[in-house]
Amino acid sequence: MTYAEQTARTFKTAWFAKAARKALIDDAELCRAIAEVRKGQADDLGGGVFKKRLDKNRSRSIILAKGREHWVYEYLFAKKDQDNIDDKELAAFRKLAGTYEGLDDQQLDWLLKDGDFLEICHDR
């Protein structure tokens, strides 16, 4: 395991948490999935944006991880409702991944305290 893998933290946004709860996707599944993503078992859409199948292939998650230090579950959609994200959405997610990469520990603490982020997969 590399140093980056040891120090990487995983979060879900408040929006994602609500969508995952509605889809009956729990944190244990998200943690298993993020371990697979870290091993390269996801669609790398470039610019720190990854797409990972969840919920026995019924749902798709968009994970932002530019720099691979902070992994953030950002967006969730059902395969039956949407095939994929479009180019405009992908560009926005890439920009957001760059923003997340620049977050320092104090900013992350604020996001957690405000409830904008929820930390999962506490392997630290």
Side-chain angles (χ1 to χ4, degrees):
M1 183 179 294
T2 67
Y3 176 75
E5 288 172 326
Q6 292 171 347
T7 60
R9 296 172 70 183
T10 304
F11 306 92
K12 58 184 178 181
T13 64
W15 182 93
F16 186 96
K18 184 177 179 181
R21 192 169 40 254
K22 187 175 177 183
L24 304 176
I25 299 170
D26 62 18
D27 287 353
E29 181 174 352
L30 296 176
C31 292
R32 284 190 301 273
I34 206 70
E36 293 172 357
V37 174
R38 288 180 180 171
K39 294 178 191 173
Q41 299 170 344
D43 296 325
D44 185 343
L45 304 179
V49 180
F50 297 83
K51 182 173 72 171
K52 180 65 178 164
R53 292 166 181 82
L54 299 171
D55 191 29
K56 298 178 181 158
N57 204 26
R58 290 188 293 256
S59 299
R60 304 290 189 266
S61 62
I62 298 296
I63 304 164
L64 306 182
K66 193 159 186 180
R68 298 183 188 206
E69 187 174 332
H70 305 123
W71 298 82
V72 181
Y73 279 99
E74 184 68 31
Y75 184 60
L76 182 70
F77 59 97
K79 180 182 173 185
K80 67 179 180 68
D81 295 335
Q82 181 178 349
D83 285 335
N84 211 341
I85 58 173
D86 63 31
D87 291 339
K88 187 175 179 181
E89 290 169 316
L90 178 57
F93 284 133
R94 286 176 176 160
K95 184 175 181 179
L96 189 55
T99 300
Y100 286 172
E101 182 180 32
L103 293 175
D104 61 28
D105 287 339
Q106 184 178 24
Q107 291 167 317
L108 283 170
D109 288 343
W110 288 335
L111 288 166
L112 290 165
K113 183 179 178 189
D114 288 346
D116 296 322
F117 275 15
L118 299 147
E119 190 162 9
I120 59 174
C121 314
H122 303 282
D123 60 341
R124 300 175 59 161

